[in-house]
Amino acid sequence: MSSIHTELVLKALESLDALSAPPPDGRPSLLGVPITELERFAEAAGEQRYRGRQIFQGLFHRRVTSFADLTDISKKLRDALEATFDIDRPKVEQVQASTDGTRKYKLKANDGSIFEAVYIPEVARGSRTNTLCVSSQTGCAVGCKFCFTASLKRNRNLSAAEIVGQVLAVRDDVAPFGERAQVTNIVFMGMGEPLLNYAQVTRAIGILLDPMGAAFPSKRITVSTSGIVPRIYDLGRDLPTQLAISLNATTNAVRQQVMPITKKWPLEELITALRAYPLQPRRRITIEYVLLGGVNDTIEDARRLPHLLRDIPVKVNLLPLNAHDRTELKTPEWSQVLAFERELKRHGMNAILRRPRGRDISAACGQLGETVPLPQSREAAT
Ligand code: SF4
């Protein structure tokens, strides 16, 4: 290895904007670095600018897993990169397969943090959609009362590299199942509130959208939020991705009970942000409504919802609560679920009753985090 070149590469590190916190072995990950920074980095390392593009394409288009496979750059540069950087995906500790084809991944970061991602294959209207639900944090401080992740009480932000690494790790895992198993859609609906990790989430999305790399179309990446109002405005300005809102109530009083974040950003402010959200033609905001027995599932709620969302292009996903042992909330009666859906449709709403996926492996909506060990003090308390 040329030590002179390695020194240049180390110096060129300074040209990279926001590297994730270096892992314990000190080598930062290249998986969170956008193409423009890699080009700048190549120049600073005494290479041609286009070498940065070649590295980016190797990482995200060809999805190489070792620097040795970046065969279109010189061995000298490959060795220097290897000595300086890491391109490891989060480690797949466990894969659980549901009877419905859903796969839940227990992933381990370099610092030992555990988080989960869920792969959901679906055949809809004759076309195959394989959605990957990714995490943005290792727990969640937002504290929604129906959510298992909230009970973990941890919320380290994942870095852009760890977010992109999730996608690469799952793509690698499903690759042997053939072309039809490819991940086609990404939803930020896993562990964590993505808009409370705004810088790293948007950085990761920029990398995933880049046509030189993973090249996901913007309509196939959805960011779901509990309603971090200022960041909704930012997101609409910064990225062309799809937006989903976890709404779950039609009055502030009920929403405060199940989503304490409502005290900070009440429904009026959230709805104003949705009205202002710049939507591309033929796109809609997804409204997620978890039906909680006896709490938000009345016919009055079903009548208030269309009024609340009037004039906003939306589709409503109805999700009866996936019960778990960290919530006292209950799944509603099936007759109530059907009545709620009927009432929304009667008011002309585009409402879809979602079939829970991966419930047998605790991979369904609101259930993520079951494979994450509790801190010892909490373990004793439960
Ligand atoms: S539903 Fe989302 S925002 Fe709410 S606690 Fe769970 S992970 Fe956090």
Side-chain angles (χ1 to χ4, degrees), residues 193-209:
E193 164 52 68
L195 296 190
L196 289 181
N197 183 14
Y198 192 79
Q200 296 299 312
V201 164
T202 50
R203 188 173 167 88
I205 292 175
I207 292 166
L208 293 167
L209 290 174

Side-chain angles (χ1 to χ4, degrees), residues 139-144 146-150 190-193 225-226 246 259 366:
C140 192
V142 172
C144 304
F146 50 85
C147 175
F148 191 99
T149 309
M191 294 165 59
E193 164 52 68
T225 177
S226 57
S246 185
M259 300 181 75

